[in-house]
Amino acid sequence: MRLLFLGPPGAGKGTQAVGVAQSLNIPHIATGNMLREAVAAATPLGLQAKAVMAAGDLVSDDLVIGMLMDRIALPDASNGFILDGFPRNVAQAEALATTLDREGLDAAVLITVDDDEIVRRISGRRTCPNQHVYHQDDNQPLVPDVCNIDGETLYQRDDDQEDVVRNRLDVYRDQTEPLVAFYRSMDLPIHEVNGVGSMDEIQRAILETISA
Ligand code: AP5
């Protein structure tokens, strides 16, 4: 199954995609995670992306499209994948459609959450260097500031400051939200899921709607 997860920053795309990918036994491919790893490793890609990401703007299409195409060409993606954070604009969506050609995508999951809740979630988010995600109120680690999975110290992302979050929301409305109409015009099934509620309830709702 080839799925896209769409929705504003902080909607819970990453949180939900991890579990859905495990249930479907397909990789979760998150361009934000890949870019943060490149920044941390100070690769040429990471050095180019760092300041753009910290400001909450989009990294250039050339860089991101190449990175994503290389990733979906790997053998573990041959039976499907969940894309989280890609495409971010119509140019990226068109590049993806060209690459996938006739096999195409199966569906998109659109997670909706209002802006006040997004700002609350993102300002309380804590992340580990291996991209495991927590929240200081709603999804606390067992030991404060320590990742349950790998014991790494949690940190706050540079782009999780409130002014940067507001810019990310503007970028989402301007460049990414139009993808909903783009994919509707291509007759791709779009499953809209309310992203407010317990993480388990939302997970069940996503799995039910994509298997219906
Ligand atoms: P990216 O990492 O993709 O950021 P995003 O889309 O803004 O999404 P987030 O990671 O902020 O949120 P999420 O929806 O995954 O929420 P999460 O599950 O963490 O991109 C970052 C940057 O990289 C971009 O700004 C851009 O610069 C660059 N980039 C990436 N892809 C690109 C592309 N294709 N082209 C160009 N540039 C690109 O949840 C958020 C918080 O809420 C967590 O603390 C979580 O614990 C909590 N939470 C989750 N669910 C619930 C719930 N149900 N109830 C309460 N709390 C919850």
Side-chain angles (χ1 to χ4, degrees):
M1 189 174 255
R2 291 170 163 174
L3 294 173
L4 296 185
F5 273 35
L6 297 171
K13 302 180 298 296
T15 300
Q16 295 300 334
V18 169
V20 173
Q22 274 171 2
S23 296
L24 300 177
N25 199 24
I26 52 178
H28 165 218
I29 298 177
T31 45
N33 291 354
M34 295 167 77
L35 288 167
R36 278 185 289 282
E37 285 164 9
V39 170
T43 66
L45 169 65
L47 294 173
Q48 290 183 76
K50 185 174 181 176
V52 179
M53 293 175 73
D57 293 321
L58 294 185
V59 176
S60 79
D61 289 342
D62 286 353
L63 293 178
V64 177
I65 290 170
M67 178 185 80
L68 190 277
M69 298 311 167
D70 288 349
R71 178 63 187 88
I72 63 176
L74 294 180
D76 69 331
S78 61
N79 290 327
F81 44 72
I82 295 179
L83 296 186
D84 164 10
F86 188 99
R88 263 323 212 275
N89 57 29
V90 171
Q92 293 182 12
E94 286 172 341
L96 181 65
T98 303
T99 297
L100 296 180
D101 200 12
R102 275 171 300 175
E103 294 162 44
L105 294 163
D106 293 298
V109 173
L110 172 62
I111 303 180
T112 57
V113 174
D114 69 62
D115 287 5
D116 288 343
E117 173 65 3
I118 283 169
V119 173
R120 189 195 71 79
R121 282 186 187 182
I122 291 187
S123 47
R125 172 165 53 193
R126 298 294 179 269
T127 305
C128 98
N130 297 319
Q131 314 297 332
H132 304 120
V133 172
Y134 299 85
H135 190 279
Q136 62 183 11
D137 304 317
D138 299 341
N139 184 16
Q140 297 171 342
L142 298 172
V143 176
D145 296 324
V146 176
C147 179
N148 295 345
I149 297 167
D150 53 31
E152 296 277 0
T153 302
L154 305 184
Y155 72 100
Q156 186 169 30
R157 281 168 42 179
D158 287 346
D159 60 347
D160 280 356
Q161 309 298 326
E162 183 167 343
D163 56 334
V164 182
V165 175
R166 298 274 173 203
N167 183 45
R168 287 164 60 199
L169 279 167
D170 288 345
V171 170
Y172 174 76
R173 305 275 180 245
D174 288 348
Q175 300 195 48
T176 309
E177 203 168 48
L179 292 179
V180 176
F182 174 88
Y183 280 118
R184 284 208 169 107
S185 76
M186 293 176 70
D187 292 329
L188 182 73
I190 298 185
H191 303 291
E192 190 165 335
V193 174
N194 178 5
V196 179
S198 82
M199 296 175 201
D200 289 346
E201 282 166 6
I202 296 164
Q203 184 92 161
R204 274 195 295 277
I206 293 172
L207 287 169
E208 275 172 24
T209 187
I210 59 177
S211 57

